[in-house]
Amino acid sequence: MGSIGDDDNGRLLVEIMDKYKVKTEYYVNKQEPTGSCVVLLKDNKRCLLPLLGAATGFPTEHIKAHWNIVEEAKLLYSTAYFVSTNYEALQLVINHAFETKKVLWVSI
């Protein structure tokens, strides 16, 4: 679950996820482009420069409308960007993981 823009990159992401049979339920944000990220590598170090784009407009109502996906998941994953873009939605998932003893992996 996440948010994509109504653009070529969003459609490409859906196409790739479908190809590998990854179940998705994206919210399509019509005001912002699909996010992107520049990755800089040097030796064993990396730096990520994200442009969050559509991810900044992920509505809590979307996760509530598709809550069955969260309930059916065996493990849960979120980027840390939800802390600043929609903490309410992240808190719902955190609470669910705690109550059900599911693994929640948050990428920082």
Side-chain angles (χ1 to χ4, degrees), residues 47-80:
C47 179
L48 304 175
L49 304 168
L51 175 61
L52 298 178
T56 62
F58 183 82
T60 303
E61 294 76 31
H62 186 76
I63 198 167
K64 288 179 178 179
H66 303 284
W67 190 249
N68 62 305
I69 294 171
V70 177
E71 290 177 331
E72 293 168 7
K74 293 187 173 94
L75 79 94
L76 303 163
Y77 166 80
S78 176
T79 66

Side-chain angles (χ1 to χ4, degrees), residues 14-102:
V14 170
E15 181 183 317
I16 292 168
M17 293 295 124
D18 287 349
K19 176 181 177 181
Y20 291 99
K21 301 187 181 355
V22 176
K23 183 177 183 178
T24 62
E25 190 59 58
Y26 293 119
Y27 170 76
V28 179
N29 182 331
K30 300 205 183 268
Q31 280 72 48
E32 296 288 337
T34 301
S36 58
C37 187
V38 173
V39 180
L40 303 174
L41 301 170
K42 183 172 188 325
D43 301 323
N44 65 343
K45 296 180 177 115
R46 74 171 185 193
C47 179
L48 304 175
L49 304 168
L51 175 61
L52 298 178
T56 62
F58 183 82
T60 303
E61 294 76 31
H62 186 76
I63 198 167
K64 288 179 178 179
H66 303 284
W67 190 249
N68 62 305
I69 294 171
V70 177
E71 290 177 331
E72 293 168 7
K74 293 187 173 94
L75 79 94
L76 303 163
Y77 166 80
S78 176
T79 66
Y81 298 121
F82 271 101
V83 171
S84 62
T85 62
N86 190 331
Y87 185 74
E88 180 184 8
L90 178 59
Q91 189 64 57
L92 289 171
V93 174
I94 290 169
N95 290 345
H96 176 75
F98 180 77
E99 292 165 3
T100 61
K101 308 286 191 255
K102 288 183 182 176

